Amino acid sequence: MITIYHNPRCRKSREGLALLEESGEKFEIVKYLEEPINEKELNTIISKLGIKPIDLIRTNESIWKSEYKGKKLTDQQTIKAMVKYPKLIERPIVVNNNKAVIGRPKELILDII
């Protein structure tokens, strides 16, 4: 099953959702600002993405700048920051079984569906 971690207020996330809808594939939507992602799930997603947790952070968000910028965080501390402040998570994230991509640009989604 394909899952998109989606923020409806984000243009890039809406574009990724539209691409999935056009694909005809079945998928589920997780509005992660309303249904927060827990640490275990976030660890799994990051593993499937094949990136470091810091690479999933939206470093231009004001909460990152005010709370974390310039601090040395471990991977787990970075994950805890995303769990506490889901707005920090880059979007959209699309997961299909053991593969995942950040849909920026949206065409990357095509690589896993």
Side-chain angles (χ1 to χ4, degrees):
M1 170 63 90
I2 298 170
T3 303
I4 181 170
Y5 293 85
H6 176 60
N7 177 352
R9 297 187 68 198
C10 172
R11 180 176 56 88
K12 295 289 187 183
S13 195
R14 290 191 307 269
E15 289 174 0
L17 178 61
L19 188 142
L20 279 176
E21 290 170 340
E22 292 166 10
S23 77
E25 297 285 336
K26 290 186 178 188
F27 64 93
E28 68 176 341
I29 300 170
V30 175
K31 294 181 182 175
Y32 66 91
L33 295 179
E34 298 171 16
E35 307 168 42
I37 303 170
N38 64 42
E39 274 186 63
K40 182 179 178 186
E41 188 176 3
L42 196 51
N43 271 305
T44 300
I45 291 168
I46 290 167
S47 175
K48 289 178 182 184
L49 286 167
I51 62 174
K52 300 287 268 170
I54 191 66
D55 297 328
L56 193 55
I57 292 279
R58 296 175 52 83
T59 56
N60 285 327
E61 288 291 336
S62 59
I63 193 70
W64 179 261
K65 290 177 180 178
S66 66
E67 298 290 321
Y68 301 102
K69 188 175 181 178
K71 295 182 179 177
K72 289 268 189 195
L73 300 179
T74 65
D75 287 350
Q76 276 316 112
Q77 288 171 321
T78 304
I79 289 168
K80 287 180 188 293
M82 287 186 275
V83 169
K84 185 174 183 178
Y85 301 107
K87 191 175 183 182
L88 291 175
I89 301 171
E90 191 63 73
R91 65 228 178 207
I93 301 168
V94 178
V95 178
N96 187 2
N97 296 314
N98 289 321
K99 301 177 199 166
V101 295
I102 300 169
R104 290 175 168 261
K106 67 183 178 197
E107 291 78 15
L108 291 176
I109 297 168
L110 297 172
D111 293 343
I112 67 164
I113 61 174

